[in-house]
Amino acid sequence: MTPGARRVLRAAERLFYERGIHAVGVDLIAAEAGVTKKTLYDRFGSKEQIVVEYLAGRDERWRELLAARLDAVAGREPAVRAVAVFEASREWAVEYGSKGCSMINAHAEIGDPSHPAYPVITGQKRWMLDLFTRLAREIGAGGAGGAAGADRLGRTLMLLHEGALVAHGLGVFPDPFGHAADEVRDLLGRV
């Protein structure tokens, strides 16, 4: 990726996250990046592709941060790893997410499944559900309920996580990730 393309993505990420995808045009992105609109279109082809790259980049960085946090608790019981996801989310939110989850925010603006960014948004959430379900299976949540019990716990963990993301973005109460992590500890203590 050229230096100009990297500047476009950095500017787009900041602007899309701060102002919203629909509120930001390519003129503003190009001006903030110090490139011409021609350069922007030569590198990305469309605003929609910039949105795809913005969301994919944030998702990639989130997965890297989360992998590092989960690696740090590798070998520990699955319940500790499940709580580590919430702790990683708190860390991410402090550094990158004062307005909540970029995927949730983008979905509020892009509800059309034919938009090229839609699979990035839903793919990230499916990936999180798979992660929580895998952790639930490792916890042994299936018990007599088998895979259905683990699937149910995975969905519950995801709902707690998504709720914490939204509550953080709205600022409705302090430390929603800490609260959600406490709920996860209580829930897993009963599993």
Side-chain angles (χ1 to χ4, degrees):
M1 190 172 291
T2 66
R6 284 193 295 275
R7 289 195 312 273
V8 166
L9 281 179
R10 281 194 303 272
E13 178 169 346
R14 182 179 54 75
L15 292 165
F16 288 154
Y17 189 75
E18 288 175 2
R19 300 182 187 185
I21 292 167
H22 291 317
V24 173
V26 292
D27 290 327
L28 180 58
I29 295 168
E32 292 279 324
V35 301
T36 65
K37 277 178 42 178
K38 180 182 180 332
T39 298
L40 183 146
Y41 283 116
D42 285 347
R43 301 296 184 269
F44 297 97
S46 66
K47 178 182 172 182
E48 287 78 14
Q49 188 58 37
I50 297 170
V51 173
V52 168
E53 298 294 332
Y54 149 65
L55 293 171
R58 281 185 70 97
D59 183 37
E60 182 179 331
R61 288 192 311 278
W62 160 244
R63 291 182 195 211
E64 287 170 0
L65 181 138
L66 183 55
R69 295 309 166 271
L70 291 174
D71 286 349
V73 293
R76 308 262 322 260
E77 55 272 12
V80 170
R81 295 197 313 275
V83 170
V85 176
F86 291 83
E87 292 167 349
S89 292
R90 178 195 292 135
E91 180 183 333
W92 174 272
V94 167
E95 188 165 347
Y96 303 109
S98 63
K99 293 183 176 279
C101 176
S102 58
M103 299 297 165
I104 293 170
N105 297 345
H107 188 265
E109 293 191 69
I110 302 169
D112 180 2
S114 68
H115 191 285
Y118 194 83
V120 177
I121 297 165
T122 57
Q124 195 273 342
K125 296 306 178 185
R126 284 189 185 100
W127 183 83
M128 289 299 298
L129 177 58
D130 290 345
L131 170 69
F132 283 125
T133 302
R134 189 170 56 253
L135 289 169
R137 286 187 180 123
E138 291 172 10
I139 290 165
D151 289 348
R152 181 181 171 96
L153 177 59
R155 289 186 202 114
T156 300
L157 293 172
M158 181 169 178
L159 288 173
L160 284 167
H161 185 259
E162 295 301 304
L165 286 168
V166 171
H168 171 78
L170 295 173
V172 293
F173 59 90
D175 194 19
F177 295 107
H179 181 80
D182 289 343
E183 292 300 315
V184 169
R185 287 182 193 93
D186 290 346
L187 176 64
L188 296 182
R190 297 189 303 263
V191 172

